Amino acid sequence: IQDSYNTSIESCSNSTCRHDYCVLGAGPAGLQIGYFLSHSQRDYIILERNSGPGSFFNIYPRHRKLISINKIYTGRQNREFNLRHDWNSLLSHKPDLLFQRVSTQLYPDADDLPRYLSLFAKELDLKVQYGVDIGKIWASEDGDHGGRSYTLIDQHGLEYSCRVLLVATGLWVPEEVKFFGSELVEGYESIPVDPEEYQDQAVLILGKGNSAFETAQSILGRASRIHLYSPNPVRLAWQTHYVGDLRAVNNELLDTYQLKSLDGLVEGGLEEIAIVKYSPEKKASGKEKKGDRKDRKGRGQLYLTLADLLQENNGNGSSGITAATLPGYHNDNFSLRQPYDRVIRCLGFRFNFSIFDSSARPPCSSMARGRFPGVTAWYEGKRTPGLFVLGAAAHSRDYRTSAGGFIHGFRYMIRSVHRVLEHRYHGKTWPATKLQTTQLLSWLLKRVNEASGPYQMFGMLADVILLRGSYCEYLEEFPIQALAQLTNLSGHQVTEQGLLVLIMQYGLNRTDTLGPGRAESEWTRAWKSNFLHPVLYYYSRLPTEQDMKYRPVGWPLPRPKAIHHIIEDFLTEWDGPISHSQPLRRFLEHCLQTDLRAFYAESCFLFSLTYTEPPLFCRLGYLKKQGIVGKSKQWQPSQEEGVMADDDESRTSQEENSLPEYLSEAEPFVTSGMN
């Protein structure tokens, strides 16, 4: 580390290193934005305080099993589709730089993630500076470029100055709640992970998230009883569709709870409780009271009580604690009346605000008890222009609604932020594909069946189609919460023809996730779909900030001029000619007021002779000496009859290969869209 640090000093002048972009943290988010900056040849540096990337995962999760899916066999060879089921890989131009190179397990070991991140940084030659512990960050006015600049100072007094600061430190400060006796509670970050340490012990765990259940599951076969306590009931990911809720891989304790094997879940406020040490007096006979436990580890017996019962008690620890201060004295059926050998805090993590000076500190978000910094819809810190928050720390925008707090979600959001940076600081418009309007149907079907970004970041990232009459501009993966700022962020204008927005979303109807009637199969009832499915919104003008603010409850977008749900599909394959393609085409025709059917040359020839204005496909294709060329299999009857010579097969092959790329890739959808 020291050699690397000395090299960085040599490249700096007057103890100050200057870059256009400073990336704070070399975890998954830091390396992902580092890749995009490197690929676009920008001046950047990634600063990491530890000796390698992804150092958080050298410690967490404590019991060393990731809950991010690594499904390497999907039956498909399409890399974009496969990323829908690969939750650990980062995005790059190298098709083989995937997480499966270090692990083939469905739920990999935590040690595999730092190994993969090291591989990613090395093969892409990212500029990472290890051993740089930033202790203070402040902002100042930049006289050279106008606007602000940020200065970071490390443990050696070396300063790093940049125009844009990209904070990718994640959440690593343990979340704590202060109450009477909280010093008696052990933290998830420091508890022993050897199950034998908990043999025949009663354990109370504060929290009901994945870290709490992960801890409970690891000691389930050794502890005498395990109780989980928190304000809210447990939320199951397969019910809420939020991957941060309790995952099935960690929920074995639900079995032992519901099947009455001494374990259980209890709801109650954390601020109202107290943890006290108390040893009941023995009976006159010298025998212990029923339920009394000996302390084999010297920790004393820990009781959960209520702060209200201690208000008149001025003692500390076990001093002044009597039976009357315990809930069981007043209610002999109190759920948590028995003592515990351990109380463990598993409440998650929060963002580290301490290194930011007041001039550079983003405000706390109102979400998740202020654990996240507040950011705009394009992930720039509120009141901190030029400072962007990336990765898990930026999860306030989609907390409990999408996957922005996890690798398989924020890798796409970071790509969107990079496109915002490219437009703002380098004048590059958001990448767009120009399509003829007649190509839109096949392109939409291709995207809903392959695209991984909108699929993983459902309800947050959407494809925006800017209508231009006979053609359209297709923008991929735009953050829809910033839709009102589309022109400013992308550089593209919305014309009077309007725009379409393609988004993936779950249904708003709450149903029994595993019960009967949980899914719709009839395309005429697509609007009642419950599972993840594509939805198209049509607007005749760009929605305003006011429209976005007052959109219907639960809707990702304001009420549109027209909306179309594509029926949910059990296989997530939206390529059926009757259920998917034809209803979508009719919706597009309604919005665009034009015929979008595709025709062979023979039909276009007939239309040209019998109609004043042939369909749009014929006007843009056949009449310009273009169109869909039949395949040799379709010409075989003519060849057998001698109408067409066999040597025309060579011309067929050549013409088939000369089809536009968008048609060759989406050929089945073009066929299914024909009526």
Side-chain angles (χ1 to χ4, degrees):
I1 299 174
Q2 191 62 42
D3 290 342
S4 177
Y5 185 82
N6 291 336
T7 301
S8 72
I9 294 178
E10 293 173 3
S11 64
C12 303
S13 60
N14 299 325
S15 298
T16 301
C17 302
R18 291 181 173 83
H19 300 276
D20 287 341
Y21 297 91
C22 289
V23 181
L24 192 57
L31 295 186
Q32 185 65 87
I33 189 62
Y35 162 73
F36 289 120
L37 293 172
S38 176
H39 196 62
S40 56
Q41 299 182 333
R42 303 304 174 198
D43 175 28
Y44 76 98
I45 187 68
I46 303 174
L47 305 175
E48 168 58 45
R49 64 176 181 165
N50 292 295
S51 59
S55 56
F56 178 88
F57 297 97
N58 290 327
I59 304 173
Y60 305 106
R62 293 299 312 281
H63 302 90
R64 314 313 293 146
K65 181 65 70 175
L66 297 176
I67 58 174
S68 47
I69 293 173
N70 181 40
K71 190 176 181 65
I72 62 176
Y73 299 110
T74 65
R76 305 282 190 91
Q77 299 301 316
N78 186 304
R79 179 171 178 263
E80 178 69 13
F81 173 86
N82 289 342
L83 281 172
R84 290 183 169 187
H85 312 287
D86 175 353
W87 289 15
N88 300 283
S89 295
L90 298 180
L91 306 177
S92 77
H93 63 280
K94 291 191 172 184
D96 64 334
L97 193 51
L98 301 174
F99 186 81
Q100 61 184 257
R101 283 176 57 177
V102 299
S103 176
T104 59
Q105 298 181 64
L106 182 62
Y107 295 106
D109 293 330
D111 293 329
D112 292 330
L113 191 51
R115 287 175 52 213
Y116 169 71
L117 296 177
S118 296
L119 185 69
F120 187 87
K122 181 179 179 181
E123 292 202 8
L124 295 171
D125 196 25
L126 301 183
K127 299 175 183 178
V128 187
Q129 188 65 53
Y130 299 108
V132 180
D133 190 1
I134 299 299
K136 187 177 181 181
I137 301 173
W138 69 88
S140 59
E141 295 303 318
D142 188 347
D144 295 334
H145 299 92
R148 295 181 121 201
S149 67
Y150 289 88
T151 302
L152 300 75
I153 187 167
D154 70 8
Q155 73 273 33
H156 299 287
L158 182 64
E159 293 183 359
Y160 298 83
S161 178
C162 54
R163 296 173 57 197
V164 181
L165 176 58
L166 303 166
V167 181
T169 55
L171 307 175
W172 60 270
V173 179
E175 175 78 350
E176 299 184 43
V177 176
K178 296 297 182 182
F179 49 80
F180 185 90
S182 57
E183 71 278 1
L184 301 175
V185 176
E186 301 174 75
Y188 171 73
E189 67 278 5
S190 59
I191 57 172
V193 294
D194 181 4
E196 297 301 327
E197 292 277 337
Y198 302 84
Q199 184 173 334
D200 198 29
Q201 292 184 4
V203 179
L204 174 65
I205 298 177
L206 305 181
K208 294 199 193 88
N210 278 294
S211 62
F213 274 86
E214 164 211 328
T215 301
Q217 186 148 312
S218 71
I219 63 176
L220 203 55
R222 291 294 178 267
S224 60
R225 71 175 185 271
I226 305 172
H227 294 160
L228 274 68
Y229 178 90
S230 75
N232 299 311
V234 64
R235 302 184 182 98
L236 302 174
W238 52 267
Q239 287 182 326
T240 64
H241 306 301
Y242 175 59
V243 299
D245 285 336
L246 178 61
R247 305 288 298 286
V249 69
N250 282 332
N251 70 8
E252 291 180 11
L253 182 135
L254 295 182
D255 265 9
T256 58
Y257 170 40
Q258 290 297 318
L259 300 179
K260 306 306 294 178
S261 188
L262 299 180
D263 306 316
L265 310 177
V266 179
E267 284 72 52
L270 292 172
E271 290 81 3
E272 293 99 26
I273 67 169
I275 302 295
V276 298
K277 286 184 179 181
Y278 174 65
S279 297
E281 296 179 356
K282 295 182 179 180
K283 294 181 179 180
S285 61
K287 296 182 180 180
E288 293 180 342
K289 290 183 179 180
K290 184 178 179 181
D292 193 18
R293 294 176 55 85
K294 292 182 179 180
D295 176 30
R296 296 176 296 279
K297 298 288 183 180
R299 283 184 299 275
Q301 295 171 310
L302 302 177
Y303 284 81
L304 182 146
T305 185
L306 303 178
D308 289 346
L309 297 178
L310 300 176
Q311 284 183 350
E312 298 180 0
N313 190 327
N314 297 321
N316 191 13
S318 60
S319 175
I321 303 300
T322 65
T325 61
L326 302 180
Y329 180 86
H330 305 276
N331 179 4
D332 62 2
N333 195 34
F334 181 67
S335 300
L336 305 180
R337 61 185 179 273
Q338 292 294 340
Y340 296 95
D341 296 293
R342 291 180 185 269
V343 180
I344 300 173
R345 165 181 41 79
C346 298
L347 300 176
F349 300 90
R350 66 186 300 112
F351 182 73
N352 179 24
F353 290 92
S354 65
I355 62 174
F356 296 90
D357 178 81
S358 59
S359 62
R361 183 185 301 120
C364 293
S365 168
S366 59
M367 303 295 294
R369 304 185 304 276
R371 293 194 294 126
F372 303 103
V375 295
T376 65
W378 51 95
Y379 296 88
E380 190 171 18
K382 294 182 177 178
R383 301 196 298 271
T384 55
L387 184 153
F388 291 79
V389 183
L390 307 176
H395 194 29
S396 63
R397 296 303 311 187
D398 64 324
Y399 180 63
R400 298 194 47 77
T401 60
S402 193
F406 312 90
I407 294 175
H408 65 285
F410 66 61
R411 61 190 178 192
Y412 303 102
M413 196 59 74
I414 289 173
R415 179 161 62 187
S416 296
V417 171
H418 176 253
R419 290 169 174 168
V420 171
L421 298 175
E422 285 290 291
H423 175 60
R424 178 186 293 186
Y425 297 106
H426 308 286
K428 292 196 171 184
T429 58
W430 196 285
T433 303
K434 184 176 180 179
L435 301 169
Q436 292 182 356
T437 302
T438 54
Q439 301 164 6
L440 182 56
L441 174 62
S442 59
W443 196 267
L444 286 171
L445 288 170
K446 178 179 183 294
R447 288 288 293 171
V448 301
N449 282 282
E450 293 181 2
S452 57
Y455 188 90
Q456 300 285 34
M457 283 299 291
F458 55 89
M460 290 296 295
L461 286 180
D463 290 355
V464 178
I465 304 97
L466 303 177
L467 304 176
R468 302 284 193 252
S470 62
Y471 73 96
C472 60
E473 294 180 356
Y474 199 105
L475 284 63
E476 297 180 359
E477 298 174 13
F478 189 85
I480 59 166
Q481 291 183 353
L483 186 61
Q485 299 296 323
L486 175 72
T487 301
N488 294 333
L489 297 177
S490 71
H492 293 274
Q493 299 291 329
V494 178
T495 65
E496 60 183 10
Q497 279 85 8
L499 68 156
L500 289 163
V501 180
L502 172 64
I503 191 171
M504 304 290 288
Q505 63 184 65
Y506 284 92
L508 299 179
N509 303 316
R510 300 299 179 187
T511 59
D512 184 352
T513 314
L514 298 179
R518 59 184 177 270
E520 292 290 341
S521 58
E522 174 56 48
W523 68 268
T524 58
R525 295 168 57 87
W527 60 278
K528 299 189 70 173
S529 295
N530 294 309
F531 199 67
L532 191 67
H533 64 286
V535 183
L536 272 100
Y537 293 74
Y538 169 65
Y539 298 96
S540 57
R541 60 170 179 83
L542 185 66
T544 64
E545 292 285 4
Q546 192 83 345
D547 295 332
M548 295 295 295
K549 182 178 180 180
Y550 294 106
R551 62 186 184 271
V553 176
W555 285 43
L557 288 167
R559 195 175 300 277
K561 186 174 182 180
I563 189 170
H564 176 69
H565 291 256
I566 301 180
I567 184 70
E568 60 186 325
D569 187 77
F570 180 72
L571 302 175
T572 62
E573 295 177 357
W574 292 278
D575 57 2
I578 304 300
S579 297
H580 306 125
S581 177
Q582 185 167 286
L584 174 59
R585 175 175 62 80
R586 296 307 299 268
F587 170 76
L588 294 176
E589 290 175 337
H590 169 73
C591 296
L592 304 177
Q593 292 297 297
T594 189
D595 189 342
L596 293 181
R597 288 177 295 175
F599 300 95
Y600 286 112
E602 181 181 356
S603 299
C604 286
F605 176 72
L606 180 61
F607 288 139
S608 300
L609 294 177
T610 54
Y611 287 87
T612 305
E613 187 176 78
L616 182 62
F617 182 88
C618 296
R619 299 200 306 271
L620 297 178
Y622 174 75
L623 296 182
K624 293 185 178 181
K625 301 180 181 179
Q626 298 175 11
I628 295 181
V629 181
K631 289 183 173 295
S632 57
K633 187 175 182 180
Q634 296 169 318
W635 293 357
Q636 185 177 353
S638 299
Q639 292 169 350
E640 292 176 351
E641 295 295 330
V643 177
M644 181 179 291
D646 291 342
D647 60 359
D648 280 350
E649 289 185 3
S650 61
R651 177 175 61 83
T652 301
S653 176
Q654 180 180 358
E655 288 184 311
E656 286 178 351
N657 291 334
S658 66
L659 279 173
E661 183 180 355
Y662 70 87
L663 285 180
S664 60
E665 291 180 355
E667 181 181 343
F669 307 131
V670 175
T671 304
S672 66
M674 297 175 60
N675 187 351

